[in-house]
Amino acid sequence: MCIRDRFRPGYKKHSEVASEMEWVKELFDVQHVGESAISFCLSVLTCVGVAFWIIYGGYGLGSLPIFLIKGTKSLGQAKNEITNDLIKIRGRYNGIQEKYSRSHTKISKHDQRLINNLKKHEKLLNRKNEYIQNAETEAGRLQSILKILTPFRYLIGLTCLAFSLLIFFSLGVTAFDKFMNSKCGLSCGYLIEKPTFFNPIDKTLVFASQYFPLDYLVFFVLVFYIFIASLYGIIKVGIKITCITIYEIKRESTLPQALLMTAFIMKLILMVLATQIMILSPQYATFGTQTYSVGNKEMMCTLSAASQKAKTSCSMSYVSIFYNKISVSLPFFSGCFLYTSDAADDLLCVDLGGRRIIQK
């Protein structure tokens, strides 16, 4: 992060930009020590959630649409696979028994272990077969309904894929915009006065805010999808420390500790999401559709226009004030949140592009 900041275009030393960026410190009033302490504690917790956002959020946004489009095996297909596996196991077991019945010799330790493993595997497959038979009797009507809804599942999967790509593009565009066009760089948390590049989610929310409550509906769908995708990522990946699985999330067999950890992880992911909203839709999250007059022209509000010296009617949202205060007073955390969006984008791309290769 330090190397990227040092060699980015337009890099200036902190002393050179301090005088021209004084209005930023006045705008966000970063001198209150108590508020700074609270911001520091929340920033530390959010940075802990950054790892969960990268792993589970990035994985979920990439794999959930593929899961919906690809679908899962039907109960009939699963039953046929189990039946074939049982036939193979019984064939191997009978082969070992015939081998020693003809030679009238004692079974070797290796073959005995193999027979024990085959019996354990056979019991497991029989349990799965019983479970599938019970599911077929209980979910007969549900299966018929799901078959009817199969085309809609493809449509929902394609819609989710479009949402994931939009989130990926918007995060990448804003991160690149901040990195390239911030006058003060890491010293002020890569603040920019206004977005420069086209951001589809930001533009959509700003346009929808003119037709209340359409923007609330779009925003709710966006956040709800990210929430579901992150939860799906936790279910599929499990709760791990490095590569060691601590807890697995399974139907009707999840430990209470795993549910508690899942709730804790989701809470941290939502804290990170509050900062990522400022990257997903910076203009909407800061000013919405507010404008100010310059002569006969109406201009979209910017940070410099909202300062006290500008004397305009632009007012920032409380979320943007809190986030930008952290950016100015604790720039390291702001840089961490910015590069977090890059890391989540990278994992999303890997999951969308290489998921089938990795599985094979």
Side-chain angles (χ1 to χ4, degrees):
M1 185 169 66
C2 295
I3 293 173
R4 288 175 65 178
D5 182 67
R6 175 70 62 173
F7 293 102
R8 73 183 184 89
Y11 168 78
K12 295 181 181 180
K13 293 183 179 179
H14 180 70
S15 57
E16 297 178 8
V17 300
S19 58
E20 61 185 76
M21 298 300 293
E22 282 297 324
W23 61 271
V24 174
K25 293 185 178 180
E26 294 177 3
L27 176 62
F28 298 109
D29 188 17
V30 296
Q31 301 302 321
H32 289 86
V33 179
E35 189 174 345
S36 298
I38 295 173
S39 300
F40 177 79
C41 294
L42 291 176
S43 299
V44 171
L45 287 174
T46 306
C47 279
V48 174
V50 159
F52 299 130
W53 164 249
I54 293 173
I55 297 171
Y56 299 121
Y59 179 87
L61 290 172
S63 60
L64 180 59
I66 305 301
F67 167 75
L68 291 172
I69 295 172
K70 187 178 179 181
T72 57
K73 297 177 183 178
S74 64
L75 294 177
Q77 291 175 335
K79 190 175 180 180
N80 291 333
E81 289 184 1
I82 291 175
T83 302
N84 293 331
D85 290 340
L86 285 172
I87 293 172
K88 292 179 181 177
I89 289 174
R90 288 164 185 166
R92 292 183 64 185
Y93 179 77
N94 292 333
I96 296 174
Q97 292 289 344
E98 289 178 4
K99 172 184 173 183
Y100 288 98
S101 63
R102 291 175 182 175
S103 60
H104 302 285
T105 57
K106 187 178 179 181
I107 299 177
S108 65
K109 293 182 179 180
H110 176 267
D111 287 338
Q112 187 62 49
R113 285 196 300 267
L114 182 58
I115 289 174
N116 293 334
N117 291 332
L118 290 174
K119 287 182 178 179
K120 290 180 181 179
H121 197 192
E122 185 180 10
K123 288 182 180 179
L124 181 62
L125 291 175
N126 285 327
R127 289 177 185 174
K128 289 184 178 180
N129 201 11
E130 291 176 2
Y131 176 79
I132 290 175
Q133 289 176 356
N134 294 331
E136 284 180 336
T137 56
E138 294 176 0
R141 294 180 180 179
L142 181 61
Q143 291 297 320
S144 59
I145 294 173
L146 291 176
K147 287 181 181 179
I148 297 173
L149 295 178
T150 298
F152 297 99
R153 191 195 71 217
Y154 293 137
L155 181 61
I156 295 172
L158 291 174
T159 304
C160 291
L161 181 61
F163 264 111
S164 294
L165 293 176
L166 281 175
I167 291 169
F168 156 71
F169 184 76
S170 297
L171 286 175
V173 162
T174 304
F176 182 75
D177 190 8
K178 285 176 173 286
F179 182 74
M180 296 297 292
N181 297 318
S182 177
K183 294 181 180 179
C184 51
L186 184 61
S187 60
C188 68
Y190 295 100
L191 275 179
I192 54 176
E193 293 186 31
K194 61 180 181 179
T196 306
F197 302 115
F198 175 76
N199 185 327
I201 292 180
D202 193 25
K203 293 294 183 182
T204 301
L205 287 170
V206 170
F207 175 78
S209 62
Q210 302 175 12
Y211 305 96
F212 178 84
L214 183 59
D215 59 325
Y216 280 30
L217 179 62
V218 176
F219 187 79
F220 171 77
V221 171
L222 179 66
V223 174
F224 182 72
Y225 172 63
I226 295 175
F227 177 84
I228 294 298
S230 301
L231 189 60
Y232 177 79
I234 295 175
I235 293 171
K236 284 296 180 182
V237 176
I239 299 172
K240 296 184 177 183
I241 296 179
T242 61
C243 296
I244 303 172
T245 301
I246 306 299
Y247 298 113
E248 291 184 349
I249 312 298
K250 292 183 178 181
R251 183 180 179 181
E252 299 181 356
S253 60
T254 304
L255 295 175
Q257 297 89 331
L259 294 176
L260 185 63
M261 286 294 298
T262 301
F264 177 71
I265 290 171
M266 288 303 302
K267 186 178 292 186
L268 292 178
I269 288 176
L270 289 177
M271 290 182 67
V272 177
L273 184 59
T275 64
Q276 295 297 297
I277 289 298
M278 291 296 301
I279 302 177
L280 273 174
S281 55
Q283 184 66 31
Y284 174 78
T286 306
F287 296 107
T289 56
Q290 295 182 67
T291 59
Y292 68 100
S293 300
V294 179
N296 296 326
K297 294 183 178 179
E298 291 291 326
M299 306 290 291
M300 297 296 292
C301 285
T302 62
L303 291 181
S304 58
S307 62
Q308 296 177 358
K309 294 181 181 180
K311 296 181 179 180
T312 62
S313 58
C314 296
S315 59
M316 294 182 295
S317 64
Y318 289 110
V319 173
S320 65
I321 291 174
F322 176 74
Y323 174 78
N324 288 320
K325 276 188 177 182
I326 293 177
S327 299
V328 177
S329 59
L330 303 167
F332 171 79
F333 291 109
S334 179
C336 178
F337 301 152
L338 180 67
Y339 292 121
T340 295
S341 62
D342 285 343
D345 274 358
D346 293 341
L347 184 58
L348 192 152
C349 289
V350 169
D351 194 60
L352 283 175
R355 185 166 175 264
R356 292 189 65 187
I357 298 174
I358 292 171
Q359 284 181 344
K360 288 182 181 179

